[in-house]
């Protein structure tokens, strides 16, 4: 049989059946592997698999619980930034002549025992709760992640010291610690409350971060980076942190609602925020003696607090389901 001449514009590709087929040069150059007919709908451009974060965002967009909770939280953020957009008047403007009055023009929620507009105070109270929750969560997440991450990566005496320290903090009841520590504070700002929450909240995040870093430290890509001479700081920031931060985000999101509830509890007990600050906990405490005569003064701030805490807990549950590969 005469030998076929070699043609540079052609290419040979195996058929997988022992034969071969001729492809044009343009076809051979553009041939790229892609997801097969039975491949899951998870490939990115050119068939490349998506990352954990892109998969998580895809799942979150399809989760009605996440969408509902996110809408509630976005509304709360809007109200916290611009409360005057939906509530006119000052939350400190009160008229004793309207004490315990029911709903009326300009006061759809009625008036409390001091004659203050319950609607206006409920709207402005969202700013305090969201501010305390967000700042306390950021402080706890940063401090706990740094301390726990360093302990999990380096180990040794630093890990042992951090473990014993967290055990001591876990033994302190949160509400009792707030009664003791905040009772001697005379400041009327949110900073003492935020500082107290960070002080007693970081051990939980540090435990989560420590376990995540220990798990990520044992992966092959970390060993390869170390073998190539990468420094400890580069390994922590470029390789371990992006793969160990997911559990911290989940716990911090759920904890945000807990911190909002804790602020209201401490304010209710009289050791958190104090008048003339506007807080749902303060309003609930002030309305408790009038629950029979003016239940509306207690209902609305309590309902706003419950909806806010529930929204953040639902958001945290949705984020956990999206970021946990075992639940896929």
């Amino acid at each position: 049989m005469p030998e076929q001449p070699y043609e540079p514009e052609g290419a040979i590709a195996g058929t997988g059946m022992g034969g071969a087929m001729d492809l044009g040069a343009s076809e051979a150059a553009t041939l790229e592997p892609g997801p097969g007919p039975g491949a899951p709908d998870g490939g990115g451009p050119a068939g490349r698999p998506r990352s954990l974060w892109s998969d998580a965002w895809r799942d979150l967009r399809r989760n009605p619980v996440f969408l509902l909770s996110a809408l509630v939280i976005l509304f709360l953020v809007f109200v916290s930034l611009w409360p005057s957009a939906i509530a006119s008047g000052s939350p400190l403007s009160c008229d004793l002549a309207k004490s315990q009055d029911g709903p009326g023009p300009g006061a759809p929620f009625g008036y409390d025992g001091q004659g203050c507009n319950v609607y206006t105070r409920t709207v402005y109270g969202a700013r305090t709760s969201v501010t305390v929750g967000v700042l306390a969560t950021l402080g706890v997440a940063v401090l706990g992640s740094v301390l726990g991450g360093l302990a999990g990566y380096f180990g040794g005496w630093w890990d042992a010291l951090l473990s014993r320290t967290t055990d001591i903090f876990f033994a302190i009841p949160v509400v009792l610690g707030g009664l003791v520590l905040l009772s001697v504070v005379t400041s009327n700002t949110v900073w003492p409350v935020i500082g107290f929450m960070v002080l007693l909240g970081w051990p939980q995040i540090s435990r989560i971060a420590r376990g995540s870093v220990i798990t990520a430290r044992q992966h092959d890509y970390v060993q390869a980076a170390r073998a190539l001479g990468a420094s400890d700081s580069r390994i922590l920031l470029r390789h371990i942190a992006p793969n160990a931060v997911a559990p911290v985000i989940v716990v911090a999101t759920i904890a945000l609602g807990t911190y909002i509830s804790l602020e209201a509890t401490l304010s209710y007990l009289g050791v958190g925020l104090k008048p003339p600050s506007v807080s749902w906990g303060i309003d609930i405490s002030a309305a408790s003696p009038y629950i029979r005569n003016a239940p509306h003064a207690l209902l609305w701030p309590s309902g706003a607090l419950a909806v806010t805490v529930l929204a953040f807990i639902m958001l945290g549950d949705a984020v956990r389901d999206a970021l946990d590969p075992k639940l896929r």
Side-chain angles (χ1 to χ4, degrees):
M1 178 181 293
E3 183 179 356
Q4 296 293 334
Y6 173 72
E7 298 180 359
E9 67 273 8
I12 303 298
T15 62
M17 300 175 60
M21 62 180 179
D22 292 337
L23 298 176
S26 60
E27 296 175 289
T30 58
L31 183 62
E32 295 182 355
D41 184 18
R48 291 191 299 270
R50 284 193 294 258
S51 65
L52 172 65
W53 300 103
S54 60
D55 277 343
W57 176 239
R58 183 197 61 177
D59 294 342
L60 288 174
R61 288 181 299 175
R62 300 177 180 179
N63 190 342
V65 174
F66 169 78
L67 296 177
L68 178 61
S69 59
L71 288 176
V72 174
I73 293 172
L74 288 176
F75 175 74
L76 289 170
V77 172
F78 172 78
V79 170
S80 302
L81 295 176
W82 300 284
S84 59
I86 62 172
S88 59
S90 172
L92 302 179
S93 178
C94 304
D95 186 359
L96 285 176
K98 299 179 180 180
S99 176
Q100 303 182 23
D101 285 356
F109 295 172
Y111 297 88
D112 61 11
Q114 300 296 322
C116 303
N117 192 324
V118 177
Y119 173 75
T120 303
R121 290 188 63 86
T122 301
V123 171
Y124 277 84
R127 170 182 291 180
T128 301
S129 297
V130 172
T131 300
V132 171
V134 170
L135 293 181
T137 302
L138 289 176
V140 167
V142 172
L143 181 60
S145 298
V146 171
L147 296 180
L150 293 177
Y153 182 78
F154 292 105
W157 67 268
W158 173 251
D159 187 16
L161 177 62
L162 182 71
S163 298
R164 302 293 77 78
T165 304
T166 55
D167 291 339
I168 295 174
F169 278 93
F170 279 133
I172 302 176
V174 177
V175 176
L176 179 59
L179 290 173
V180 174
L181 296 178
L182 295 178
S183 61
V184 298
V185 176
T186 58
S187 175
N188 197 34
T189 64
V190 299
W191 297 111
V193 179
I194 294 173
F196 164 74
M197 293 181 182
V198 173
L199 178 63
L200 292 188
W202 68 267
Q204 179 186 17
I205 298 295
S206 70
R207 286 284 179 91
I208 301 296
R210 173 183 176 273
S212 299
V213 170
I214 290 177
T215 301
R217 187 183 61 183
Q218 301 171 358
H219 289 167
D220 292 338
Y221 59 84
V222 176
Q223 303 301 327
R226 183 178 290 109
L228 291 174
S231 62
D232 290 333
S233 60
R234 181 178 178 83
I235 293 176
L236 276 171
L237 296 178
R238 296 293 300 274
H239 301 286
I240 292 182
N243 295 282
V245 73
V248 174
I249 293 177
V250 173
V251 175
T253 305
I254 298 177
L256 200 156
T258 304
Y259 294 139
I260 292 177
S261 178
L262 178 59
E263 179 274 321
T265 302
L266 295 175
S267 298
Y268 178 86
L269 296 175
V271 296
L273 298 177
K274 304 174 182 63
S277 298
V278 181
S279 169
W280 290 334
I282 295 176
D283 291 347
I284 295 172
S285 177
S288 297
Y290 310 106
I291 187 172
R292 293 185 178 181
N293 299 329
H296 58 272
L298 179 65
L299 173 64
W300 292 109
S302 301
L305 175 63
V307 170
T308 301
V309 174
L310 180 61
F312 280 106
I313 292 177
M314 292 171 56
L315 180 70
D317 289 340
V319 173
R320 179 199 59 196
D321 296 341
L323 291 178
D324 191 350
K326 297 179 181 179
L327 300 178
R328 297 185 181 279

